[in-house]
Amino acid sequence: MSNLTDFFDSKTNISKLRQLAQDFVDERDWNRYHNPKDLAISIAIEAAELMELFQWIEQKEVEKMMEDDDKLLRIKEELADVMILCLNMVNTLKIDLSQAIVEKIEKNKAKYPAELVKGNYRKYTQLKG
Amino acid sequence: MSNLTDFFDSKTNISKLRQLAQDFVDERDWNRYHNPKDLAISIAIEAAELMELFQWIEQKEVEKMMEDDDKLLRIKEELADVMILCLNMVNTLKIDLSQAIVEKIEKNKAKYPAELVKGNYRKYTQLKG
Amino acid sequence: MSNLTDFFDSKTNISKLRQLAQDFVDERDWNRYHNPKDLAISIAIEAAELMELFQWIEQKEVEKMMEDDDKLLRIKEELADVMILCLNMVNTLKIDLSQAIVEKIEKNKAKYPAELVKGNYRKYTQLKG
Amino acid sequence: MSNLTDFFDSKTNISKLRQLAQDFVDERDWNRYHNPKDLAISIAIEAAELMELFQWIEQKEVEKMMEDDDKLLRIKEELADVMILCLNMVNTLKIDLSQAIVEKIEKNKAKYPAELVKGNYRKYTQLKG
């Protein structure tokens, strides 16, 4: 594979990340497990593992966690696991991730007009409901 | 913003997607809600909404869903919501997502050696355990 | 069915609640969907819907929610949905829920000795880890 | 506490189970962590741990799991953890669990009329939507 130092958000295109995720799956012959339903289940499981790092943690403790390198590394790793599984699902669905995100942000802009929900989660929750 | 047609996986880098996600939050003045704990909760909620599209659906029905444009669009949208929230969390944590993904894939390679888990989820589950 | 006013925690046993849940499923001929995997998925989806009621809600707002009858009703209903699905799973697995709970509490007592974790979630998290 | 053999679904009333769950919390001085938002998070985390037992498992393997005593025990334990946390939330909210379940089943009956959804999850999903 390419040198790891080649991968930075400012210069990595999504296709390269998708390929890294696909290579991992190919090398393990796991494609047959990667149907959309089981991938959705796995994304939810990994999301819960990320959330578990904050279980019973009070808000002021959360801020302290951000200054603790070990905790930050664990958060980064669990978040990466969620994203890797999302890349797997994108690969299985054969969709363009960038287009999916751009289109959904446009849709969210229409659903949650800035002037209506500015600084106010309650308005957001009502519109969502 | 740039023309939407500029965004394709083959030429979009992560920084550009992160910026789109951040602009949406800035325009709504929602940064103060975006602490890591509440973002982790929201990622888990969106992951469950993605999973809900497959609730009670038998495997053979899942395959049919892939040929149904409406269902595929809903899956794409819910998956995009999960990823947008991941981008929000990456922005809050001020980490490099590409590096996080590359490093986690390397770690997963060491944890699940290809020759040991090839084509076999049970071995994977045991190692995960 | 029995009069609704017969059902109170102080005099209702689990078997009666299990039967109510089973009757609902039988009347809809849904038993064939109720395999353990799909039930686990549905429990996770309902748990996320319960959690969604607290999405982006700050701690001090959570306390205010407890004085709002409408919000309390929604929390109660979503919590009930989680528990009804747990009863469905208990019915599918044909296990005794009371025994399962009592045995797990005994196991948790051994895993989290009171004198070690008293008033301290961090110790709990470490032991859990 | 009472003898463990006293606890069976056919004779255990809910109040006794609630008391067992409360005693565990009291002995550890954990009441101050048990606010509704953090309990909802924990229910979702435990639900994901239950679901994880079925991660990547094909339907025909799920049936085999039911004949494997070790796997059945793990499922029972994770399901018990979800239910114990639900009991904790019921205790925090000071509501009557039996009434909550009975009332929600009645509401679900009105929402999903048997004659409309009989044997058909798609109708259910549409009504849910």
Side-chain angles (χ1 to χ4, degrees):
Chain A
M1 67 172 258
S2 329
N3 196 310
L4 284 193
T5 54
D6 288 354
F7 291 88
F8 285 105
D9 288 353
S10 56
K11 53 181 183 172
T12 306
N13 68 38
I14 310 287
S15 296
K16 277 210 263 175
L17 287 179
R18 288 179 61 163
Q19 192 56 52
L20 282 183
Q22 188 57 50
D23 289 347
F24 182 87
V25 175
D26 287 343
E27 286 158 19
R28 277 149 196 82
D29 199 10
W30 282 355
N31 286 293
R32 61 181 169 127
Y33 299 119
H34 281 211
N35 64 79
K37 181 174 178 177
D38 280 306
L39 284 165
I41 293 169
S42 287
I43 290 171
I45 291 170
E46 295 297 337
E49 289 181 9
L50 173 59
M51 191 165 62
E52 194 179 349
L53 299 175
F54 302 99
Q55 191 180 18
W56 307 122
I57 309 282
E58 289 162 83
Q59 204 50 53
K60 59 176 185 275
E61 292 289 321
V62 173
E63 281 151 41
K64 272 191 209 154
M65 284 173 81
M66 297 306 102
E67 295 153 21
D68 180 331
D69 283 347
D70 284 349
K71 295 223 169 90
L72 209 50
L73 177 62
R74 289 200 58 196
I75 295 170
K76 209 169 77 170
E77 288 184 347
E78 295 294 350
L79 182 55
D81 271 338
V82 177
M83 274 304 299
I84 291 165
L85 275 160
C86 288
L87 293 173
N88 289 152
M89 192 155 182
V90 160
N91 285 337
T92 289
L93 297 175
K94 297 189 199 332
I95 58 174
D96 191 279
L97 178 162
S98 306
Q99 281 288 302
I101 287 179
V102 168
E103 286 166 15
K104 193 51 169 55
I105 288 180
E106 288 304 301
K107 197 166 177 175
N108 289 347
K109 279 181 185 173
K111 191 171 182 187
Y112 310 113
E115 65 278 14
L116 222 71
V117 298
K118 199 154 192 167
N120 194 332
Y121 61 79
R122 256 177 280 188
K123 289 285 177 56
Y124 158 77
T125 311
Q126 285 162 12
L127 287 169
K128 191 180 184 189
Chain B
M1 66 173 261
S2 329
N3 196 309
L4 284 194
T5 55
D6 288 353
F7 290 89
F8 284 104
D9 289 353
S10 56
K11 53 181 182 173
T12 306
N13 65 41
I14 301 280
S15 294
K16 276 209 264 175
L17 289 180
R18 287 179 63 162
Q19 191 56 52
L20 282 183
Q22 187 57 50
D23 289 347
F24 181 87
V25 175
D26 288 344
E27 286 158 19
R28 277 149 195 80
D29 199 9
W30 283 354
N31 287 291
R32 61 182 169 129
Y33 299 119
H34 281 210
N35 65 78
K37 180 174 178 176
D38 280 307
L39 284 165
I41 292 169
S42 287
I43 291 170
I45 291 169
E46 295 297 337
E49 289 181 8
L50 172 60
M51 191 165 61
E52 194 178 349
L53 299 175
F54 302 99
Q55 191 180 19
W56 308 121
I57 309 282
E58 290 162 82
Q59 202 52 53
K60 58 175 184 274
E61 292 288 321
V62 173
E63 280 150 41
K64 271 190 211 154
M65 285 173 81
M66 297 305 103
E67 295 154 19
D68 180 330
D69 283 347
D70 285 348
K71 294 221 169 92
L72 209 50
L73 177 61
R74 288 200 58 196
I75 295 170
K76 210 168 75 169
E77 289 184 347
E78 295 294 350
L79 181 55
D81 272 337
V82 177
M83 293 191 294
I84 291 165
L85 276 159
C86 288
L87 292 173
N88 289 151
M89 192 157 181
V90 160
N91 284 337
T92 289
L93 298 175
K94 298 190 199 328
I95 58 174
D96 190 281
L97 176 62
S98 306
Q99 280 288 302
I101 288 177
V102 168
E103 286 167 15
K104 192 52 168 55
I105 288 178
E106 288 304 300
K107 197 166 177 175
N108 289 347
K109 279 182 183 171
K111 191 171 181 188
Y112 310 113
E115 65 278 12
L116 223 70
V117 297
K118 199 154 190 165
N120 194 334
Y121 63 78
R122 257 177 281 188
K123 289 285 176 55
Y124 157 77
T125 312
Q126 284 161 15
L127 287 169
K128 191 180 184 187
Chain C
M1 70 173 255
S2 331
N3 197 310
L4 284 193
T5 54
D6 288 353
F7 290 88
F8 284 104
D9 289 354
S10 55
K11 52 181 184 172
T12 305
N13 65 40
I14 301 279
S15 294
K16 277 208 263 174
L17 289 180
R18 288 178 64 162
Q19 191 56 52
L20 282 184
Q22 188 56 50
D23 289 346
F24 181 87
V25 175
D26 287 344
E27 285 157 19
R28 277 148 197 80
D29 199 10
W30 281 355
N31 286 292
R32 60 182 170 129
Y33 299 119
H34 281 212
N35 65 78
K37 181 174 178 176
D38 279 306
L39 283 165
I41 292 170
S42 287
I43 291 171
I45 290 170
E46 295 297 338
E49 289 182 9
L50 172 61
M51 191 165 62
E52 194 177 348
L53 299 176
F54 303 99
Q55 190 180 19
W56 306 123
I57 310 281
E58 290 162 83
Q59 203 51 53
K60 59 175 183 276
E61 292 289 321
V62 173
E63 282 151 41
K64 272 190 212 154
M65 286 172 80
M66 297 305 102
E67 297 154 19
D68 179 331
D69 283 347
D70 284 349
K71 294 222 169 91
L72 209 50
L73 177 63
R74 289 200 58 196
I75 295 170
K76 209 168 77 169
E77 289 183 346
E78 294 295 349
L79 180 56
D81 272 337
V82 177
M83 293 189 294
I84 291 165
L85 276 158
C86 288
L87 292 174
N88 289 151
M89 193 156 182
V90 160
N91 285 337
T92 289
L93 298 174
K94 299 191 199 327
I95 58 174
D96 190 280
L97 177 61
S98 307
Q99 280 288 302
I101 288 177
V102 168
E103 286 167 16
K104 193 52 169 54
I105 287 179
E106 288 304 300
K107 198 167 176 175
N108 288 347
K109 280 182 184 172
K111 192 171 180 188
Y112 309 114
E115 65 278 13
L116 223 71
V117 298
K118 198 154 190 166
N120 194 333
Y121 63 78
R122 256 178 281 190
K123 289 285 175 56
Y124 158 78
T125 312
Q126 284 161 16
L127 287 170
K128 191 179 183 187
Chain D
M1 65 173 261
S2 330
N3 197 309
L4 284 193
T5 54
D6 289 353
F7 291 89
F8 284 104
D9 288 354
S10 56
K11 54 179 183 174
T12 307
N13 69 36
I14 310 286
S15 295
K16 277 210 262 174
L17 286 179
R18 288 179 63 162
Q19 191 56 51
L20 280 185
Q22 187 56 50
D23 289 347
F24 182 86
V25 176
D26 287 344
E27 285 158 20
R28 277 148 197 81
D29 198 11
W30 282 354
N31 287 292
R32 61 183 169 129
Y33 298 120
H34 280 210
N35 64 79
K37 181 174 179 176
D38 280 306
L39 284 165
I41 293 170
S42 287
I43 291 170
I45 291 170
E46 295 298 337
E49 289 181 10
L50 172 60
M51 191 166 60
E52 194 177 350
L53 299 176
F54 303 98
Q55 192 180 18
W56 307 122
I57 308 282
E58 290 162 83
Q59 203 52 53
K60 59 176 183 274
E61 291 289 323
V62 173
E63 282 150 41
K64 273 190 210 153
M65 286 173 80
M66 296 305 102
E67 296 154 19
D68 180 331
D69 284 347
D70 285 350
K71 294 223 169 89
L72 209 50
L73 177 62
R74 289 201 57 197
I75 295 170
K76 210 169 76 169
E77 288 184 347
E78 294 295 350
L79 181 56
D81 271 337
V82 178
M83 274 304 299
I84 291 164
L85 276 158
C86 288
L87 292 174
N88 289 151
M89 192 154 181
V90 160
N91 285 336
T92 289
L93 297 175
K94 299 190 199 330
I95 58 175
D96 190 278
L97 179 162
S98 306
Q99 280 288 302
I101 287 180
V102 168
E103 285 166 14
K104 193 53 169 55
I105 288 180
E106 288 304 300
K107 197 166 177 175
N108 289 347
K109 280 182 184 172
K111 191 171 180 187
Y112 309 114
E115 65 278 12
L116 222 70
V117 298
K118 199 154 189 165
N120 194 333
Y121 61 79
R122 254 176 283 187
K123 289 285 177 55
Y124 158 77
T125 313
Q126 284 161 14
L127 287 170
K128 191 179 184 186

